[in-house]
């Protein structure tokens, strides 16, 4: 499977494709075309998530940090369970492709 | 963390960096600079593995298939537990960067 094929240029909502799953683990491809978390919304997840940006550009904000983290292709980030975070921005001019691995902390 | 930073041009052996781990899951970055499986060697793993090639070029061979699968940047592959496979080739002229997620099948 080629993860950068057939990318939509505009989407009404993020497009999530499940790539693999196992015991307490789920691997997804997420395509964003400018989507971001609604104002005031924070993810607060019971499990950990490892994200990798394959293409595009995005900003992730973590609670307690002064500024969002800017991600480009090849940037990865581990988000521990219950670390509140939000997608502050994704590039509206190109598809941003994320790989997300959701898993249970040891 | 930027996964394409500080790539070595030549390595005596593959370089494996653990990026995250959890319950029955381990995420690694593997850098190859021409390494391949020894002649006649096949991986036969008790768990599943999902691999993504981030950069470079490689060929994975699966038992029972007539030809190896050629992978380039953005290509991903799910390897079920006990599906015998080998790294037939990695490009000797550039670093190949893999993301490998090892996990237990459901």
């Amino acid at each position: 499977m080629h993860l950068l094929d057939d990318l939509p240029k505009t989407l009404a909502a993020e497009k999530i494709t499940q790539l693999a799953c196992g015991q307490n683990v789920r691997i997804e491809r997420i395509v964003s075309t400018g989507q971001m978390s609604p104002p005031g919304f924070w993810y607060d997840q019971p499990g950990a998530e490892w994200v990798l940006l394959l293409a595009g550009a995005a900003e992730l904000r973590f609670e307690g940090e002064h500024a969002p983290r800017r991600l480009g292709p090849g940037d990865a980030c581990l988000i521990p369970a219950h670390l509140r975070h939000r997608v502050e921005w994704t590039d509206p001019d190109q598809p941003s492709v994320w790989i997300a691995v959701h898993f249970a902390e040891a």
Side-chain angles (χ1 to χ4, degrees), chain A:
Chain A
M1 182 183 188
H2 190 79
L3 299 176
L4 301 174
D5 276 352
D6 300 323
L7 296 179
K9 289 224 163 49
T10 58
L11 290 163
E14 286 183 333
K15 183 179 178 185
I16 301 178
T17 307
Q18 185 168 301
L19 303 173
C21 69
Q23 283 177 39
N24 296 320
V25 61
R26 192 172 78 253
I27 306 176
E28 295 172 340
R29 183 186 78 162
I30 303 167
V31 182
S32 313
T33 56
Q35 285 80 20
M36 58 192 81
S37 304
F41 174 85
W42 294 85
Y43 290 97
D44 181 347
Q45 302 177 141
E49 181 178 0
W50 181 83
V51 292
L52 160 66
L53 198 68
L54 265 189
E59 288 181 0
L60 271 185
R61 182 182 284 271
F62 293 89
E63 194 172 54
E65 294 189 359
H66 291 293
R69 299 189 199 175
R70 177 74 177 231
L71 305 181
D75 283 319
C77 204
L78 176 63
I79 308 171
H82 294 300
L83 177 56
R84 282 158 54 93
H85 61 283
R86 45 184 273 114
V87 178
E88 197 71 21
W89 176 83
T90 63
D91 192 339
D93 295 327
Q94 60 177 327
S96 294
V97 181
W98 310 79
I99 300 299
V101 183
H102 299 271
F103 62 95
E105 290 183 335

